[in-house]
Amino acid sequence: MKKVGFWEKFDKKWDATHQSTLVVQGDNSLVDSISAYKLYINGNIHATGARFAHLAPSNSFYIRLKAGVYSVVLREYEVRKPDRIESNTLHIEIHDREQITIRAAWRGRQLSLSFDHAI
């Protein structure tokens, strides 16, 4: 009989409550790709977890969430940069087992997040 370790138990419990998916997909207008930015969800930095990397589309963040209401912002990676660029704040409500895809793009001189389905 195989003993289940702490991380296996943690992952199983975490997966049971975080069944929704947020994908923030960068389009061709992003210089240096999505990796030049940090993703903030409700004020906290998020990134694609190592065990979900194979599920992430190229040039994107793949985030697992609990069902709920969230605010999403994209900021330039370097926190000490003067005039650090920040996107608009996009508010989402995600339900159990739902996937929401957000487009990150430059619109003129503004970094923009939108629910554009034409990715």
Side-chain angles (χ1 to χ4, degrees), residues 38 53-55:
K38 288 185 182 180
H54 68 286
L55 299 171

Side-chain angles (χ1 to χ4, degrees), residues 48-94:
T48 302
R51 69 188 184 103
F52 298 114
H54 68 286
L55 299 171
S58 64
N59 199 30
S60 72
F61 291 108
Y62 179 96
I63 310 298
R64 296 281 297 272
L65 298 169
K66 292 180 181 182
V69 177
Y70 299 92
S71 62
V72 181
V73 175
L74 200 60
R75 295 184 178 118
E76 281 186 298
Y77 196 87
E78 181 55 51
V79 295
R80 294 185 182 119
K81 182 181 177 213
D83 300 323
R84 184 180 184 205
I85 295 170
E86 179 176 307
S87 74
N88 58 308
T89 300
L90 197 60
H91 300 282
I92 65 168
E93 180 175 2
I94 194 165

Side-chain angles (χ1 to χ4, degrees), residues 13-51:
K13 188 174 182 177
W14 191 91
D15 288 348
T17 60
H18 294 75
Q19 296 183 358
S20 305
T21 305
L22 174 65
V23 176
V24 179
Q25 178 84 44
D27 79 357
N28 295 341
S29 67
L30 292 185
V31 179
D32 297 329
S33 81
I34 199 95
S35 64
Y37 303 90
K38 288 185 182 180
L39 178 68
Y40 290 78
I41 301 174
N42 289 352
N44 299 306
I45 297 171
H46 285 261
T48 302
R51 69 188 184 103

